[in-house]
Amino acid sequence: MPTHPSIACSAHRPKHPLVSIIVPAYNAQEYVRSCLDSLRAQTLHNIEIVCVNDGSTDATQDIVEEIASQDRRVVVVQQQNSGIGCARNAGVAAACGEIIMLCDADDMLKPQACEKVYQQFISTKCSVVVFGFEVFPAGALHPSLASQLHPRDVVITQSARGIEQLLFEEKARPFGARLALRASFMREQHITFHPKLTLGEDQYFCFEVYPRSTKTVLMSEQLYRYRMNRQSMSHRLGSDVDARLNKLSQHLACERAIIQDWTKAGFMGLCDEKLLEWCLDLLLLDVSKLPLGKQVSFWEQWCTDVLSGFALQTLLSSSKLSSAAKGCLTDIVSDAHAVSKRHLTMFYLRKRGVVSSMKRVVWGLTHKA
């Protein structure tokens, strides 16, 4: 396998595709054919499908090359295994379309997805389109995703309030594949996928894109089909101490990358209270399940890597930061470096409510491996 990505495609590749769909594929032999079939069946015909084989060791390469030989719109990029971020970046670099869309190799797009998304770009002159998704099989739907399936139909223009809405109020996360972006916007704003994040790369992408978008269109229609695959990263993470520490380390890397990007771009200060509460929400429950000594070590590292990017004293006196979050932060920066059960309970009851919290508990009990 070559060190740098190589492109293998038909000499009759479409010269001016309206939409380029980037498909990163690693050991995806079980699903990649169904994925590519859903893309080839799009009602908007003038598209290209850029499939990046990320160093697969199974039959993925043979399958995508076979399909490429049958459909000139399929472009195959080969690279050494480098992760989903690098694979997506290689796909974008090879793409020729006006609009960039994404589809993971075990997922699918509904037949009219490209057509409807492209129409939104034409009619609204926006930078980004965000659409709804559905999960299959339906019984695998996690309660945390149940409220995120349908965005409302709205256009949000660039402002501090708009950024806060997109990231913390609208149903516009957590999957990067539900975003379509104008290729010129990606080039002008140097939008790329993080090359090193292995968990939370989609979250980082949302935090990177939304503050830079001059106009973002949300569509309620569910155009993306997300497969709840037990072999995915989220399902491979176990609950023992080492596995939990590994998961937390990856979440910490995601938060650190977001803070670094926002600091460099001058976005810090726009909605710090909401951002800090989001950072806490991502970590608190898992950290609370660690032995006390490891909780202390983790929060010390978090203070160095993440909390140091905020003006803590200003936030602790801000009326926009909840009292529950303030209680958790006070515990973290104290000599104890551990969040009390009382403050933890207050935080999640406020954040999710009693009913939502109970649904998560029940789901966890009924979906244990």
Side-chain angles (χ1 to χ4, degrees):
M1 192 72 67
T3 301
H4 300 289
S6 63
I7 303 175
C9 60
S10 166
H12 301 290
R13 176 184 180 181
K15 290 184 178 180
H16 303 291
L18 301 178
V19 174
S20 295
I21 311 169
I22 313 303
V23 183
Y26 174 70
N27 287 354
Q29 64 180 14
E30 186 176 356
Y31 303 118
V32 70
R33 189 180 296 275
S34 296
C35 171
L36 296 182
D37 284 348
S38 79
L39 306 184
R40 295 171 65 199
Q42 290 296 301
T43 56
L44 181 68
H45 186 77
N46 187 14
I47 63 173
E48 67 173 0
I49 302 160
V50 183
C51 189
V52 184
N53 178 33
D54 187 31
S56 297
T57 57
D58 64 359
T60 296
Q61 178 176 338
D62 295 336
I63 294 170
V64 298
E65 288 183 344
E66 173 200 336
I67 294 172
S69 70
Q70 301 167 359
D71 192 327
R72 68 186 183 91
R73 299 173 301 168
V74 179
V75 180
V76 180
V77 178
Q78 306 284 358
Q79 69 173 29
Q80 291 182 334
N81 181 241
S82 305
I84 189 171
C86 289
R88 284 174 170 174
N89 286 334
V92 171
C96 299
E98 298 174 25
I99 306 302
I100 301 295
M101 293 180 68
L102 307 165
C103 189
D104 290 344
D106 52 352
D107 299 336
M108 292 179 277
L109 287 179
K110 290 188 176 180
Q112 290 185 304
C114 290
E115 182 177 357
K116 292 187 174 183
V117 166
Y118 186 74
Q119 288 172 350
Q120 287 287 351
F121 278 100
I122 295 301
S123 63
T124 65
K125 310 298 181 185
C126 62
S127 303
V128 179
V129 171
V130 186
F131 40 88
F133 68 100
E134 66 181 27
V135 169
F136 70 101
L141 178 63
H142 191 279
S144 64
L145 298 178
S147 62
Q148 300 301 313
L149 303 178
H150 299 277
R152 64 190 180 114
D153 293 303
V154 65
V155 177
I156 298 179
T157 55
Q158 189 179 47
S159 66
R161 176 60 185 148
I163 294 168
E164 186 173 330
Q165 284 179 282
L166 285 167
L167 288 171
F168 307 112
E169 298 174 20
E170 301 293 343
K171 298 170 183 177
R173 289 190 293 109
F175 301 123
R178 63 192 298 199
L179 276 67
L181 301 92
R182 195 177 293 276
S184 59
F185 161 70
M186 294 189 74
R187 291 192 295 268
E188 291 164 4
Q189 294 297 323
H190 307 290
I191 299 292
T192 59
F193 299 90
H194 198 287
K196 295 182 179 179
L197 294 178
T198 53
L199 183 65
E201 70 278 354
D202 282 350
Q203 297 279 22
Y204 172 85
F205 187 61
C206 292
F207 277 90
E208 178 188 23
V209 169
Y210 290 146
R212 292 173 167 88
S213 174
T214 54
K215 183 187 291 184
T216 303
V217 174
L218 303 189
M219 297 174 60
S220 61
E221 190 166 358
Q222 293 170 294
L223 301 176
Y224 192 90
R225 300 197 69 214
Y226 176 75
R227 187 190 303 271
M228 290 299 292
N229 175 13
R230 286 192 173 274
Q231 298 304 312
S232 68
M233 173 64 73
S234 60
H235 290 106
R236 290 201 305 268
L237 294 167
S239 58
D240 61 87
V241 172
D242 288 341
R244 197 175 299 280
L245 281 170
N246 179 47
K247 175 183 176 183
L248 284 165
S249 175
Q250 293 174 74
H251 281 322
L252 180 60
C254 174
E255 292 187 1
R256 181 170 58 239
I258 291 169
I259 299 303
Q260 290 173 347
D261 178 59
W262 274 41
T263 300
K264 183 178 180 180
F267 298 145
M268 295 301 291
L270 293 177
C271 47
D272 284 6
E273 293 87 354
K274 291 287 183 68
L275 176 57
L276 188 52
E277 288 205 24
W278 178 82
C279 288
L280 287 171
D281 189 22
L282 194 62
L283 303 171
L284 275 170
L285 197 57
D286 278 314
V287 177
S288 72
K289 296 177 182 178
L290 295 174
L292 183 58
K294 294 190 181 298
Q295 290 186 42
V296 171
S297 298
F298 180 85
W299 286 125
E300 287 177 340
Q301 187 66 50
W302 183 78
C303 287
T304 299
D305 291 358
V306 176
L307 190 59
S308 60
F310 294 88
L312 179 60
Q313 293 307 315
T314 300
L315 288 175
L316 289 175
S317 61
S318 171
S319 59
K320 295 181 180 179
L321 189 67
S322 70
S323 58
K326 290 177 182 178
C328 293
L329 286 170
T330 301
D331 288 344
I332 290 169
V333 300
S334 70
D335 292 338
H337 289 299
V339 177
S340 69
K341 290 182 179 180
R342 173 174 171 268
H343 286 148
L344 180 70
T345 301
M346 287 174 57
F347 182 89
Y348 280 108
L349 285 179
R350 179 190 177 276
K351 194 76 176 177
R352 299 174 181 171
V354 176
V355 174
S356 177
S357 296
M358 288 305 298
K359 284 182 179 179
R360 289 177 181 236
V361 170
V362 172
W363 191 92
L365 292 173
T366 57
H367 286 76
K368 284 185 176 181

